Amino acid sequence: MCTTCGCGTDQVTIDGKAHSHGHDHDHHPDHEHGHGHHGHDHGPAHSHAAGVGADRAVAVEAAILAKNDAEANANRRGFTANGILALNLVSSPGSGKTTLLVETIRRLAGDFPIAVIEGDQQTSNDADRIRATGAKAVQINTGKGCHLDAHMVGHALEALAPAQDSVLMIENVGNLVCPSAFDLGEAHKVVVLSVTEGEDKPLKYPDMFAAADLMILNKCDLLPHLEFDAGLCEANARRVNPSIQVLRVSATKGDGLDAWLDWVKGAARVARSRRIRGAVGTGCGASCTCA
Amino acid sequence: MHEMSIAESVLGIVEETARREGFARVKEVRLEIGRLAAVETEALRFCFDAVVRGSVAEGARLAIDETPGTAWCFGCSATVPLQSRGDLCPRCGGAQLQVNGGTEMRVKDLLGT
C-alpha cells in the first residue's frame, strides 16, 4: 500500500486510467520499499541506544478504518459546502441499480444536475449507460477490490467535479457484504433489493441493511409471478434496522418511482439548505435532521 | 473479502507506530474487534499474515480481543446482549433492537523491539 496517499491496490483505475495524485509516485510494485525499515537493526546508533533488544509494548488505540473515515469526512465536507446530495447505492449484483439510476436521471433531469460514480471490478459498461442519458459519469474499476472506499471516491470527485446543489449517485460494487464497512462521505446508504432474490436477504446480510437508511424493493412488477413475500421482507429489514424506510418500485415499469423521486428531492433540499446555512463545521452529521 | 483492506489498514497503523517508536521489528499486534463489526476474524488473520510479509511486522503474532455485541431493546428499554444482528431480544423476544455496542475495530497496542 502506498503510505503517502493510502492507495490500497495498484489495480484501481478511474475511467481506465491509474488515478493521479498531487504527490509524485508511480504505482510500480517496488514502491513499498524505501519506508526505511530495512537496516534499522544494523545502524551503529541503534547499538548504543539504551534498551535496544528489549521488547517494548506501546498503546496505539487507533480505529482501524480511521484513515478511510477521515477521507470520507473530507468528501462529506466538500458535499456539504457545495450543497451536494451524495447517495451510496449498494446491493448484490443484478438488483437493477443501474436501471434505477437511468430512470431516475431521466425523470429528474429538469430538477437538478445529476452526476454518477460507477464502481465495478471491470468494464465501463455502467458508466456508458449513464452517459447515454446525458449525465456526467466516472467509472472506477476496483480490479480485484470488492468495494469502493473514500479515497477512490475522492479521486473520482476530482475528475467528475459535480456542480453546486447537484445530486451525486455513487453506485457501489455489487456486493452485499463489504461496502457496508466503508463510509464514502455519503448522506445516506440506499440498499436496493430485487424481489427475484430471497426475502430473507436482510437477515442473511444484516450489516448492509443495518447501515442503510432506505431500502428500495425493486422489480415489484414481477411479484405476481413469484412466491416472494414482500411484507416478510420488509419485516426482516426492520428486524435488523428498526428505522429503515422502505419503498416498493419497478424501475423498468415505473411503479412507485414517484415516491423514490420525492425522497431524493427531499434529501436534496436538505443538502442545499445546509449549504445555504453554512453548516460546515457545526458538527451536524449525515443523520442530523436539524435542517 | 474486505478483510484484506482492513489488514492493509492495520499494517499502515503498525508501520506508522513502529517508525514513531523506532522499532526494528514488531512481534505482536493486538486488535479489538467487536462481534458485530462485520469482520471474519479467521479471514483477517489470513490476510494479516499475507500483507505483513516484507514489512516491519513480518511474522508478528496477531492477537484479537473480541468484544461482545449489545443492543438497545425498545421493548425492555434496556441494553441487552446480542450475538448477531437479526437475533431477537434474549429477554423479551422482541425484534425492535438498535445495536449500541460490539462494532469496534481498533488497534489496541503492539509489542516491538
Side-chain angles (χ1 to χ4, degrees):
Chain A
M1 187 173 75
C2 165
T3 52
T4 307
C5 74
C7 305
T9 167
D10 297 341
Q11 299 172 344
V12 175
T13 63
I14 292 172
D15 279 346
K17 300 185 203 73
H19 59 272
S20 61
H21 300 81
H23 57 273
D24 228 8
H25 70 75
D26 48 2
H27 285 204
H28 65 84
D30 292 336
H31 81 289
E32 281 196 332
H33 300 289
H35 298 319
H37 54 254
H38 304 298
H40 264 205
D41 47 354
H42 305 306
H46 281 260
S47 57
H48 297 299
V52 164
D55 291 352
R56 193 155 52 88
V58 293
V60 181
E61 295 294 345
I64 292 172
L65 293 181
K67 191 164 181 137
N68 182 76
D69 292 344
E71 296 191 59
N73 284 332
N75 292 344
R76 185 170 284 118
R77 280 194 296 275
F79 297 144
T80 307
N82 292 295
I84 295 167
L85 168 66
L87 300 178
N88 181 0
L89 274 76
V90 291
S91 80
S92 45
S95 67
K97 285 194 298 302
T98 312
T99 301
L100 178 70
L101 277 182
V102 166
E103 283 305 310
T104 303
I105 292 165
R106 207 167 60 74
R107 290 159 195 254
L108 288 181
D111 292 277
F112 26 62
I114 301 182
V116 178
I117 294 175
E118 285 288 345
D120 281 299
Q121 288 198 325
Q122 296 189 33
T123 84
S124 63
N125 293 356
D126 283 358
D128 295 343
R129 282 176 67 188
I130 298 296
R131 288 187 193 116
T133 68
K136 284 206 290 189
V138 162
Q139 178 80 50
I140 300 176
N141 284 133
T142 58
K144 298 285 184 274
C146 52
H147 58 269
L148 295 179
D149 62 33
H151 185 78
M152 298 175 198
V153 169
H155 281 299
L157 288 169
E158 291 168 8
L160 195 60
Q164 191 176 74
D165 296 341
S166 62
V167 173
L168 173 69
M169 303 280 192
I170 305 168
E171 183 178 339
N172 218 312
V173 178
N175 176 346
L176 270 180
V177 183
C178 309
S180 70
F182 293 85
D183 184 8
L184 306 179
E186 71 274 4
H188 306 281
K189 279 192 180 70
V190 176
V191 62
V192 182
L193 180 64
S194 61
V195 298
T196 50
E197 305 171 59
E199 56 266 272
D200 57 352
K201 276 237 167 126
L203 299 180
K204 285 177 169 171
Y205 303 95
D207 297 296
M208 191 63 87
F209 291 85
D213 294 319
L214 173 68
M215 174 171 88
I216 292 187
L217 206 49
N218 193 23
K219 308 188 189 179
C220 278
D221 55 304
L222 298 177
L223 279 173
H225 312 287
L226 304 167
E227 291 182 8
F228 183 92
D229 184 338
L232 177 60
C233 181
E234 291 189 14
N236 286 338
R238 294 206 167 92
R239 190 160 142 187
V240 296
N241 182 353
S243 57
I244 197 167
Q245 299 177 66
V246 180
L247 294 173
R248 298 186 189 187
V249 311
S250 164
T252 53
K253 298 289 186 284
D255 309 332
L257 277 182
D258 285 343
W260 156 241
L261 300 178
D262 286 345
W263 189 94
V264 174
K265 287 177 194 170
R269 274 196 296 275
V270 171
R272 193 179 58 224
S273 73
R274 284 213 178 123
R275 171 183 68 75
I276 292 167
R277 291 186 305 109
V280 186
T282 61
C284 293
S287 58
C288 176
T289 54
C290 71
Chain B
M1 196 59 175
H2 64 300
E3 283 78 5
M4 187 57 91
S5 301
I6 291 170
E8 286 176 336
S9 298
V10 169
L11 178 61
I13 292 168
V14 168
E15 286 185 324
E16 194 185 311
T17 307
R19 262 197 304 278
R20 195 176 62 230
E21 299 289 333
F23 288 148
R25 217 183 126 217
V26 171
K27 293 181 169 177
E28 183 179 299
V29 177
R30 196 157 65 92
L31 310 181
E32 178 186 10
I33 304 286
R35 263 195 85 90
L36 307 177
V39 175
E40 192 56 55
T41 53
E42 283 316 302
L44 180 57
R45 285 180 192 285
F46 179 85
C47 294
F48 179 80
D49 289 345
V51 301
V52 298
R53 267 178 220 146
S55 81
V56 68
E58 173 151 1
R61 200 174 85 81
L62 184 66
I64 299 179
D65 295 348
E66 198 176 70
T67 53
T70 58
W72 178 259
C73 174
F74 289 87
C76 300
S77 288
T79 291
V80 297
L82 193 70
Q83 292 298 306
S84 56
R85 289 185 194 270
D87 282 1
L88 300 174
C89 173
R91 278 200 202 169
C92 72
Q96 292 286 298
L97 297 168
Q98 194 79 52
V99 170
N100 63 3
T103 59
E104 305 79 6
M105 284 198 279
R106 301 180 68 77
V107 180
K108 293 290 286 179
D109 47 51
L110 50 85
L111 186 70
T113 187

